[in-house]
Amino acid sequence: MNLADEGSLIERCKNGDREAFASIVNHYMRPAYYVALGYVGSPEDALDLSQDAFVNAFRHIKRFDSSRKFFPWFYSILKNLCMNHLTRERRRHESSIDEMAEEGSVPIPVEAINPEQSAVRRDLEVKVGMALRRLRAKDREIIILQHFQDYSYQEIADLLGIPIGTVMSRLYGARRALRRELEKLGVT
Amino acid sequence: MQEDNFKPLLMGYLDSELTELESIRVEQHLEQCAECARELEEFRRLKEVTRNMRVATPDARSWDEYWSHVYNRLERRVGWVLVSIGAILILSYGVYSLIAKFLLRSDFPLIVRFGAVAIVVGFCTLLISVLRERLFMSRIDKYERIKR
């Protein structure tokens, strides 16, 4: 979707056109989910929060400057919701350190593109999921988008509203961190 | 080029995202810099380890129903606003009736009337406080402090 098409859809959204908003949602639902997954780690919560973020975006769409790209603005709404969710989760777990420690070890679900796989391969996926879980949310976000979902650098730059050079430097830091975590888990 | 500035380019080289000219510059640098060559090899191994893996993705049905979930939530908010308006109207009428039929009658003991007044005033204060907070919050951009 180019900027002009998106701009005209946004203008229709500002007039309350929900069909136009449906086009925006269908176009961005996948990256929204992956960004949320990078922050919260749970697929169910990521789906739920990304949908909530679209609801909030529609409610505040009149404040949005339609000459700009939608996703970087939407991204700040989504990130805010994810951070609030994490804060609530942290508070909820404050009374139960054991439970928190247990949850901290729950890996991000990683699956094989080809479902036929050995037990060794499955074990590796769990370790990769655990390593992902231990990364900073910001590192996880870019790793999920590029490393695991094959978004191009240009697509990531457009989605997050950052230059391609920043995509590369963030990816460099995130991959180093992922490598370190995998080494700690015995994957070399 | 500074070593630290160069390292992120290794990512672009690894993922085939560089221009031809940039790739040539990276290759020239790799011939001279053992550290970068070693690091690139480690990143290649990492890519190999995670090859053919992806993070859990919702099934096709979840994507098909995604918009309808968003739509339902949008509608539900409108419903909640209408329910709130209705509740406020009915509550206001209840408060008016309470004052007219109960508090102004002198045959109830003073302490009961005083207690009832305290409850009503307290409830109204809480209600106004919540409404004022909501109104104030809707005027400011909740996301303006978020840094990307």
Side-chain angles (χ1 to χ4, degrees), chain A residues 33-34 43 47, chain B residues 56-63:
Chain A
Y33 164 79
Y34 293 124
L47 206 57
Chain B
T57 303
D59 56 21
R61 195 173 156 201
S62 298
W63 292 128

Side-chain angles (χ1 to χ4, degrees), chain A residues 142-160:
Chain A
I142 200 144
I143 284 278
I144 286 174
L145 287 175
Q146 201 286 325
H147 201 94
F148 287 95
Q149 297 305 133
D150 289 334
Y151 280 78
S152 72
Y153 286 12
Q154 187 60 58
E155 283 171 325
I156 296 171
D158 287 345
L159 288 173
L160 304 185

Side-chain angles (χ1 to χ4, degrees), chain B residues 95-108:
Chain B
V95 170
Y96 167 77
S97 301
L98 186 77
I99 292 167
K101 291 178 185 166
F102 174 68
L103 297 180
L104 297 179
R105 281 172 58 179
S106 55
D107 51 342
F108 281 103

